Amino acid sequence: MPATVPDLPDPADALAKAGRRLDARGLAPATAGNYSARLADGTILITRSGAHKGRLDAAQFMRVATDGTAIDAGRSSAETLLHCLIYAVDPAAGAVLHTHSVAGTVLSRALAGRDGIELAGYELLKIFPGVATHEASVTLPLVDNSQDMPALAALLRPILLAQERLVPAFYIRGHGLYAWGPTLDAAEAMVEGCEFLLACAWEEVKLRGGADDQSDPI
């Protein structure tokens, strides 16, 4: 049974409030980012294209079908298909948040040629499902950026499906983070945890003087 967020009396208002919090943390510059929630009827509520995420209101959200087809009038986020992909591959996903941090963006570019961001030894790894200790390693899938959303979704689908334990986050190189959870609160916590870990990893890369050795874990 797919997860939904019917516990939110007003999903658009809840997503707008999350947007203001993420914007205040510097994770939504300009009009970057997009947010969504799976509704009780199975449709997806998502931000419209071009809306500033720190100044969202109900009018800046719209519903789309599971294949991204618009239900309400207007144009949804250009990355709607990536949200649809996440809901399709993870029945537990109830909300998806896409953010942009300086640390994550630069780190992903520094890891040219890698297909994952390995995070190891951090206490906050316990935010990930099934991880109960800092003595662990979690790898976020890392893919190259593209403006072709159908192609990007097609690239990501087998990567996500191949995971033995699905990591509820991935990174698009030079672009940003996608993270999700069964509830909006869980999705926001996953974003905060991932962005913190990415910032720590970038600081470690800088201390080592770069990330040229592809065999070195972060």
Side-chain angles (χ1 to χ4, degrees), residues 97-143:
L97 302 172
H98 171 44
T99 54
H100 298 250
S101 67
V102 173
T105 301
V106 179
L107 172 65
S108 68
R109 285 167 55 89
L111 300 178
R114 296 200 197 184
D115 59 6
I117 302 175
E118 183 183 357
L119 304 163
Y122 296 108
E123 177 69 14
L124 210 58
L125 287 171
K126 293 191 291 186
I127 65 165
F128 293 103
V131 178
T133 174
H134 69 284
E135 296 177 337
S137 175
V138 173
T139 299
L140 302 187
L142 175 61
V143 298

Side-chain angles (χ1 to χ4, degrees), residues 5-200:
V5 286
D7 54 314
L8 296 177
D10 188 340
D13 181 65
L15 286 168
K17 288 177 178 175
R20 289 193 285 275
R21 290 190 294 270
L22 294 173
D23 178 57
R25 297 185 185 105
L27 300 177
T31 61
N34 34 78
Y35 316 137
S36 72
R38 180 160 24 203
L39 303 179
D41 63 359
T43 62
I44 298 166
L45 184 72
I46 191 166
T47 42
R48 295 179 183 272
S49 180
H52 191 290
K53 304 312 177 295
R55 297 191 291 270
L56 292 171
D57 58 33
Q60 290 163 322
F61 291 89
M62 62 181 288
R63 292 172 301 148
V64 299
T66 55
D67 64 355
T69 303
I71 296 173
D72 299 327
R75 185 162 64 96
S76 65
S77 166
E79 296 164 31
T80 295
L81 287 181
L82 300 186
H83 289 254
C84 294
L85 168 66
I86 291 166
Y87 292 122
V89 302
D90 188 356
V96 179
L97 302 172
H98 171 44
T99 54
H100 298 250
S101 67
V102 173
T105 301
V106 179
L107 172 65
S108 68
R109 285 167 55 89
L111 300 178
R114 296 200 197 184
D115 59 6
I117 302 175
E118 183 183 357
L119 304 163
Y122 296 108
E123 177 69 14
L124 210 58
L125 287 171
K126 293 191 291 186
I127 65 165
F128 293 103
V131 178
T133 174
H134 69 284
E135 296 177 337
S137 175
V138 173
T139 299
L140 302 187
L142 175 61
V143 298
D144 288 334
N145 195 16
S146 173
Q147 303 307 307
D148 186 337
M149 289 304 118
L152 189 53
L155 172 66
L156 279 161
R157 180 181 291 273
I159 294 172
L160 299 180
L161 290 174
Q163 292 178 317
E164 183 176 348
R165 185 190 297 274
L166 182 62
V167 175
F170 60 78
Y171 212 93
I172 303 175
R173 197 184 319 274
H175 181 165
L177 171 75
Y178 272 86
W180 60 94
T183 65
L184 180 56
D185 285 348
E188 192 170 353
M190 183 59 61
V191 163
E192 290 182 11
C194 286
E195 292 288 13
F196 173 85
L197 290 167
L198 291 167
C200 290

